[in-house]
């Protein structure tokens, strides 16, 4: 009886942890139009998907190690690549994303010199940031992560100047709810193999992953409650956007252009509800998810 009870408790805890985290469930390319579904982290790999399979929905730990490149167990090349025209959009669908892990979103590309079937991107300064979103007090939900809960999608544009070829497209959420602890920041990256056509000649140097994210970076080791409408400055890890495709947006309609800094913050008064000093995940008086 005790063994059965113990097994039931373990399964319940594992299910709770899985429900509290998440992954990119599918991507949608807009030119050509296609939808690609990611394999379930705890299921079998999908040989037809260009999305590299992760093996759990928890964060990439430690984020200074190899899991940061494409997620936990997620840096295994796949056979398929998704064709994408430079200058077109790609949508990442996180729905359902059940966590409350306030923080930024970052998107990178890494050129696969000899094709993505033999490329992992885990050495060298190969990751070029093409989009980011951090803290913006002008919106009702100021942190980027808060905006992927509903409808669950975030859309970016592949830079029109990007050189043709195969790339890993890497998209991630960074949860800062326990970032006050060294090593507590939680990164949730996903990698997709794409083939870019109709582009330009841009092939800039980027950052290394692992390598660029340090445990004492100001955007990684920080007190979440200190970022407020009155003190909105937050420096997104990974440096500035190197090759800009265009502003990302949530849901189905691109927003009107807004002026932001590379850190994703502004100094304009907020237009929506704000969080209390201890209202972040796991804080005093917080009644939401804490996984």
């Amino acid at each position: 009886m005790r063994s059965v009870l113990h097994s039931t408790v373990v399964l319940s805890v594992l299910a709770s942890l899985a429900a509290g985290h998440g992954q990119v469930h599918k991507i949608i390319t807009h030119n050509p139009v296609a939808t690609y579904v990611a394999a379930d982290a705890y299921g079998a790999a999908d040989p037809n998907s260009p999305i590299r399979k992760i093996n759990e929905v928890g964060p990439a730990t430690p984020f200074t190690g190899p899991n940061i490149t494409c997620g936990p167990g997620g840096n295994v090349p796949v056979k398929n690549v998704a064709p994408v025209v430079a200058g077109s959009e790609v949508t990442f669908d996180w729905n359902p994303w059940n966590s409350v892990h306030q923080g930024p979103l970052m998107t990178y590309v890494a050129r696969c010199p000899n094709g993505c079937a033999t490329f992992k991107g885990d050495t060298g300064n190969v990751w070029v940031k093409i989009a980011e979103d951090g803290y913006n007090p002008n919106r009702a939900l100021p942190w980027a992560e808060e905006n992927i809960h509903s409808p669950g999608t975030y859309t970016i544009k592949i830079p029109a100047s990007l050189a043709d070829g195969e790339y890993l497209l890497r998209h991630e959420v960074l949860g800062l709810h326990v970032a006050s602890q060294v090593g507590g920041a939680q990164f949730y990256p996903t990698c997709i193999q794409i083939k870019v056509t109709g582009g330009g000649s841009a092939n800039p140097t980027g950052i290394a992953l692992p390598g660029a994210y340090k445990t004492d970076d100001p955007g990684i080791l920080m007190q979440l409650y200190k970022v407020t409408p009155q003190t909105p400055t937050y420096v997104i890890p990974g440096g500035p956007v190197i090759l800009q495709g265009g502003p990302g947006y949530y849901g189905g309609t691109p927003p009107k252009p807004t002026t932001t800094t590379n850190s994703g913050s502004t100094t304009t008064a907020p237009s929506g509800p704000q969080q209390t000093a201890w209202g972040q995940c796991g804080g005093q008086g917080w009644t939401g998810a804490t996984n």
Side-chain angles (χ1 to χ4, degrees), residues 236-267:
I236 299 175
V241 171
I242 296 175
L243 201 60
Q244 181 74 58
Y249 62 92
Y250 304 92
T253 304
K256 295 180 180 179
T258 57
T259 301
T260 62
T261 67
N262 282 335
S263 65
S265 65
T266 70
T267 56

mmCIF file of all heavy atoms in Angstrom, residues 236-267:
data_model
loop_
_atom_site.group_PDB
_atom_site.id
_atom_site.type_symbol
_atom_site.label_atom_id
_atom_site.label_comp_id
_atom_site.label_asym_id
_atom_site.label_seq_id
_atom_site.Cartn_x
_atom_site.Cartn_y
_atom_site.Cartn_z
ATOM 1 N N ILE A 236 18.020 42.974 -21.317
ATOM 2 C CA ILE A 236 17.785 41.614 -21.789
ATOM 3 C C ILE A 236 19.121 40.931 -22.069
ATOM 4 O O ILE A 236 19.998 41.515 -22.709
ATOM 5 C CB ILE A 236 16.923 41.638 -23.066
ATOM 6 C CG1 ILE A 236 15.564 42.288 -22.770
ATOM 7 C CG2 ILE A 236 16.718 40.231 -23.610
ATOM 8 C CD1 ILE A 236 14.697 42.470 -23.993
ATOM 9 N N PRO A 237 19.304 39.700 -21.593
ATOM 10 C CA PRO A 237 20.565 38.989 -21.851
ATOM 11 C C PRO A 237 20.802 38.745 -23.338
ATOM 12 O O PRO A 237 19.881 38.776 -24.148
ATOM 13 C CB PRO A 237 20.372 37.661 -21.107
ATOM 14 C CG PRO A 237 19.301 37.918 -20.111
ATOM 15 C CD PRO A 237 18.394 38.928 -20.734
ATOM 16 N N GLY A 238 22.057 38.482 -23.670
ATOM 17 C CA GLY A 238 22.413 38.144 -25.047
ATOM 18 C C GLY A 238 22.803 39.310 -25.910
ATOM 19 O O GLY A 238 23.032 39.144 -27.111
ATOM 20 N N GLY A 239 22.881 40.506 -25.313
ATOM 21 C CA GLY A 239 23.253 41.680 -26.091
ATOM 22 C C GLY A 239 22.105 42.202 -26.930
ATOM 23 O O GLY A 239 20.989 41.672 -26.888
ATOM 24 N N PRO A 240 22.355 43.259 -27.709
ATOM 25 C CA PRO A 240 21.292 43.857 -28.509
ATOM 26 C C PRO A 240 20.914 43.011 -29.715
ATOM 27 O O PRO A 240 21.615 42.061 -30.077
ATOM 28 C CB PRO A 240 21.915 45.186 -28.963
ATOM 29 C CG PRO A 240 23.380 44.881 -29.036
ATOM 30 C CD PRO A 240 23.645 43.940 -27.879
ATOM 31 N N VAL A 241 19.793 43.359 -30.327
ATOM 32 C CA VAL A 241 19.421 42.734 -31.598
ATOM 33 C C VAL A 241 20.460 43.133 -32.638
ATOM 34 O O VAL A 241 20.744 44.308 -32.836
ATOM 35 C CB VAL A 241 18.013 43.179 -32.037
ATOM 36 C CG1 VAL A 241 17.710 42.708 -33.452
ATOM 37 C CG2 VAL A 241 16.973 42.658 -31.056
ATOM 38 N N ILE A 242 21.046 42.148 -33.295
ATOM 39 C CA ILE A 242 22.112 42.399 -34.270
ATOM 40 C C ILE A 242 21.551 42.595 -35.666
ATOM 41 O O ILE A 242 21.997 43.464 -36.426
ATOM 42 C CB ILE A 242 23.123 41.235 -34.260
ATOM 43 C CG1 ILE A 242 23.820 41.159 -32.892
ATOM 44 C CG2 ILE A 242 24.162 41.405 -35.369
ATOM 45 C CD1 ILE A 242 24.741 39.969 -32.738
ATOM 46 N N LEU A 243 20.575 41.788 -36.018
ATOM 47 C CA LEU A 243 19.980 41.848 -37.355
ATOM 48 C C LEU A 243 18.469 41.924 -37.174
ATOM 49 O O LEU A 243 17.820 40.930 -36.877
ATOM 50 C CB LEU A 243 20.387 40.607 -38.157
ATOM 51 C CG LEU A 243 20.314 40.687 -39.683
ATOM 52 C CD1 LEU A 243 21.228 41.784 -40.220
ATOM 53 C CD2 LEU A 243 20.688 39.341 -40.306
ATOM 54 N N GLN A 244 17.927 43.120 -37.346
ATOM 55 C CA GLN A 244 16.511 43.364 -37.049
ATOM 56 C C GLN A 244 15.624 42.928 -38.201
ATOM 57 O O GLN A 244 15.803 43.349 -39.338
ATOM 58 C CB GLN A 244 16.283 44.849 -36.778
ATOM 59 C CG GLN A 244 14.853 45.218 -36.439
ATOM 60 C CD GLN A 244 14.463 44.783 -35.036
ATOM 61 O OE1 GLN A 244 15.086 45.175 -34.059
ATOM 62 N NE2 GLN A 244 13.412 43.986 -34.940
ATOM 63 N N GLY A 245 14.642 42.070 -37.871
ATOM 64 C CA GLY A 245 13.674 41.686 -38.884
ATOM 65 C C GLY A 245 12.451 42.581 -38.848
ATOM 66 O O GLY A 245 11.873 42.896 -39.873
ATOM 67 N N GLY A 246 12.075 43.007 -37.667
ATOM 68 C CA GLY A 246 10.879 43.817 -37.469
ATOM 69 C C GLY A 246 10.345 43.549 -36.078
ATOM 70 O O GLY A 246 10.730 42.573 -35.425
ATOM 71 N N PRO A 247 9.458 44.398 -35.576
ATOM 72 C CA PRO A 247 8.931 44.197 -34.230
ATOM 73 C C PRO A 247 8.072 42.940 -34.138
ATOM 74 O O PRO A 247 7.255 42.662 -35.012
ATOM 75 C CB PRO A 247 8.088 45.459 -33.994
ATOM 76 C CG PRO A 247 7.721 45.934 -35.372
ATOM 77 C CD PRO A 247 8.878 45.576 -36.247
ATOM 78 N N GLY A 248 8.280 42.161 -33.076
ATOM 79 C CA GLY A 248 7.446 40.998 -32.865
ATOM 80 C C GLY A 248 6.081 41.406 -32.332
ATOM 81 O O GLY A 248 5.897 42.525 -31.850
ATOM 82 N N TYR A 249 5.120 40.509 -32.411
ATOM 83 C CA TYR A 249 3.797 40.811 -31.884
ATOM 84 C C TYR A 249 3.119 39.535 -31.400
ATOM 85 O O TYR A 249 3.476 38.424 -31.787
ATOM 86 C CB TYR A 249 2.933 41.527 -32.918
ATOM 87 C CG TYR A 249 2.637 40.750 -34.189
ATOM 88 C CD1 TYR A 249 1.502 39.957 -34.294
ATOM 89 C CD2 TYR A 249 3.480 40.834 -35.294
ATOM 90 C CE1 TYR A 249 1.213 39.254 -35.454
ATOM 91 C CE2 TYR A 249 3.201 40.142 -36.460
ATOM 92 C CZ TYR A 249 2.072 39.352 -36.537
ATOM 93 O OH TYR A 249 1.798 38.657 -37.688
ATOM 94 N N TYR A 250 2.113 39.717 -30.541
ATOM 95 C CA TYR A 250 1.369 38.619 -29.935
ATOM 96 C C TYR A 250 -0.003 38.509 -30.585
ATOM 97 O O TYR A 250 -0.610 39.508 -30.949
ATOM 98 C CB TYR A 250 1.219 38.848 -28.432
ATOM 99 C CG TYR A 250 2.556 39.027 -27.749
ATOM 100 C CD1 TYR A 250 3.097 40.296 -27.572
ATOM 101 C CD2 TYR A 250 3.289 37.944 -27.312
ATOM 102 C CE1 TYR A 250 4.334 40.483 -26.976
ATOM 103 C CE2 TYR A 250 4.528 38.115 -26.712
ATOM 104 C CZ TYR A 250 5.045 39.379 -26.547
ATOM 105 O OH TYR A 250 6.273 39.548 -25.966
ATOM 106 N N GLY A 251 -0.501 37.287 -30.721
ATOM 107 C CA GLY A 251 -1.801 37.114 -31.347
ATOM 108 C C GLY A 251 -1.721 37.253 -32.850
ATOM 109 O O GLY A 251 -0.675 37.084 -33.468
ATOM 110 N N GLY A 252 -2.838 37.637 -33.470
ATOM 111 C CA GLY A 252 -2.911 37.611 -34.921
ATOM 112 C C GLY A 252 -2.741 38.922 -35.640
ATOM 113 O O GLY A 252 -2.664 38.944 -36.866
ATOM 114 N N THR A 253 -2.675 40.040 -34.922
ATOM 115 C CA THR A 253 -2.629 41.340 -35.586
ATOM 116 C C THR A 253 -1.381 42.109 -35.195
ATOM 117 O O THR A 253 -1.158 42.342 -34.005
ATOM 118 C CB THR A 253 -3.866 42.187 -35.209
ATOM 119 O OG1 THR A 253 -5.042 41.457 -35.533
ATOM 120 C CG2 THR A 253 -3.855 43.512 -35.963
ATOM 121 N N PRO A 254 -0.561 42.505 -36.165
ATOM 122 C CA PRO A 254 0.629 43.299 -35.831
ATOM 123 C C PRO A 254 0.223 44.615 -35.179
ATOM 124 O O PRO A 254 -0.738 45.266 -35.600
ATOM 125 C CB PRO A 254 1.285 43.537 -37.194
ATOM 126 C CG PRO A 254 0.743 42.482 -38.081
ATOM 127 C CD PRO A 254 -0.652 42.221 -37.594
ATOM 128 N N PRO A 255 0.951 45.035 -34.140
ATOM 129 C CA PRO A 255 0.613 46.290 -33.468
ATOM 130 C C PRO A 255 1.134 47.486 -34.235
ATOM 131 O O PRO A 255 1.960 47.353 -35.148
ATOM 132 C CB PRO A 255 1.341 46.160 -32.129
ATOM 133 C CG PRO A 255 2.549 45.348 -32.471
ATOM 134 C CD PRO A 255 2.104 44.373 -33.532
ATOM 135 N N LYS A 256 0.659 48.660 -33.874
ATOM 136 C CA LYS A 256 1.233 49.874 -34.424
ATOM 137 C C LYS A 256 2.635 50.048 -33.864
ATOM 138 O O LYS A 256 2.906 49.662 -32.729
ATOM 139 C CB LYS A 256 0.365 51.081 -34.058
ATOM 140 C CG LYS A 256 -1.019 51.057 -34.680
ATOM 141 C CD LYS A 256 -1.829 52.281 -34.282
ATOM 142 C CE LYS A 256 -3.210 52.249 -34.921
ATOM 143 N NZ LYS A 256 -4.019 53.426 -34.530
ATOM 144 N N PRO A 257 3.563 50.617 -34.652
ATOM 145 C CA PRO A 257 4.946 50.764 -34.180
ATOM 146 C C PRO A 257 5.015 51.570 -32.885
ATOM 147 O O PRO A 257 4.282 52.543 -32.695
ATOM 148 C CB PRO A 257 5.633 51.508 -35.327
ATOM 149 C CG PRO A 257 4.790 51.223 -36.526
ATOM 150 C CD PRO A 257 3.387 51.122 -36.015
ATOM 151 N N THR A 258 5.896 51.107 -31.962
ATOM 152 C CA THR A 258 6.157 51.835 -30.734
ATOM 153 C C THR A 258 7.654 52.033 -30.585
ATOM 154 O O THR A 258 8.441 51.294 -31.172
ATOM 155 C CB THR A 258 5.629 51.082 -29.504
ATOM 156 O OG1 THR A 258 6.231 49.777 -29.474
ATOM 157 C CG2 THR A 258 4.121 50.931 -29.549
ATOM 158 N N THR A 259 8.044 53.013 -29.832
ATOM 159 C CA THR A 259 9.458 53.290 -29.628
ATOM 160 C C THR A 259 9.919 52.626 -28.343
ATOM 161 O O THR A 259 9.406 52.897 -27.268
ATOM 162 C CB THR A 259 9.709 54.807 -29.526
ATOM 163 O OG1 THR A 259 9.247 55.418 -30.732
ATOM 164 C CG2 THR A 259 11.194 55.099 -29.336
ATOM 165 N N THR A 260 10.900 51.707 -28.474
ATOM 166 C CA THR A 260 11.480 51.043 -27.312
ATOM 167 C C THR A 260 12.991 51.041 -27.441
ATOM 168 O O THR A 260 13.546 51.295 -28.507
ATOM 169 C CB THR A 260 10.989 49.590 -27.191
ATOM 170 O OG1 THR A 260 11.410 48.876 -28.356
ATOM 171 C CG2 THR A 260 9.481 49.518 -27.065
ATOM 172 N N THR A 261 13.652 50.740 -26.338
ATOM 173 C CA THR A 261 15.098 50.605 -26.356
ATOM 174 C C THR A 261 15.453 49.158 -26.600
ATOM 175 O O THR A 261 14.594 48.277 -26.612
ATOM 176 C CB THR A 261 15.702 51.058 -25.018
ATOM 177 O OG1 THR A 261 15.267 50.126 -24.018
ATOM 178 C CG2 THR A 261 15.243 52.454 -24.654
ATOM 179 N N ASN A 262 16.758 48.867 -26.774
ATOM 180 C CA ASN A 262 17.190 47.498 -26.951
ATOM 181 C C ASN A 262 16.915 46.648 -25.726
ATOM 182 O O ASN A 262 16.879 45.429 -25.803
ATOM 183 C CB ASN A 262 18.699 47.446 -27.264
ATOM 184 C CG ASN A 262 18.985 47.798 -28.707
ATOM 185 O OD1 ASN A 262 18.118 47.636 -29.561
ATOM 186 N ND2 ASN A 262 20.169 48.282 -28.987
ATOM 187 N N SER A 263 16.749 47.284 -24.570
ATOM 188 C CA SER A 263 16.454 46.519 -23.365
ATOM 189 C C SER A 263 14.984 46.170 -23.261
ATOM 190 O O SER A 263 14.568 45.473 -22.356
ATOM 191 C CB SER A 263 16.862 47.327 -22.122
ATOM 192 O OG SER A 263 16.061 48.481 -22.015
ATOM 193 N N GLY A 264 14.181 46.649 -24.205
ATOM 194 C CA GLY A 264 12.764 46.324 -24.200
ATOM 195 C C GLY A 264 11.967 47.144 -23.207
ATOM 196 O O GLY A 264 10.825 46.836 -22.924
ATOM 197 N N SER A 265 12.548 48.198 -22.654
ATOM 198 C CA SER A 265 11.834 48.986 -21.661
ATOM 199 C C SER A 265 11.561 50.378 -22.180
ATOM 200 O O SER A 265 12.201 50.845 -23.112
ATOM 201 C CB SER A 265 12.663 49.081 -20.373
ATOM 202 O OG SER A 265 13.863 49.791 -20.609
ATOM 203 N N THR A 266 10.572 51.049 -21.583
ATOM 204 C CA THR A 266 10.267 52.413 -21.920
ATOM 205 C C THR A 266 10.130 53.204 -20.633
ATOM 206 O O THR A 266 10.209 52.653 -19.541
ATOM 207 C CB THR A 266 8.945 52.510 -22.715
ATOM 208 O OG1 THR A 266 7.875 52.193 -21.825
ATOM 209 C CG2 THR A 266 8.941 51.591 -23.915
ATOM 210 N N THR A 267 9.910 54.502 -20.757
ATOM 211 C CA THR A 267 9.774 55.320 -19.558
ATOM 212 C C THR A 267 8.409 55.987 -19.481
ATOM 213 O O THR A 267 8.199 56.912 -18.729
ATOM 214 C CB THR A 267 10.865 56.406 -19.531
ATOM 215 O OG1 THR A 267 10.788 57.181 -20.725
ATOM 216 C CG2 THR A 267 12.240 55.779 -19.433
#
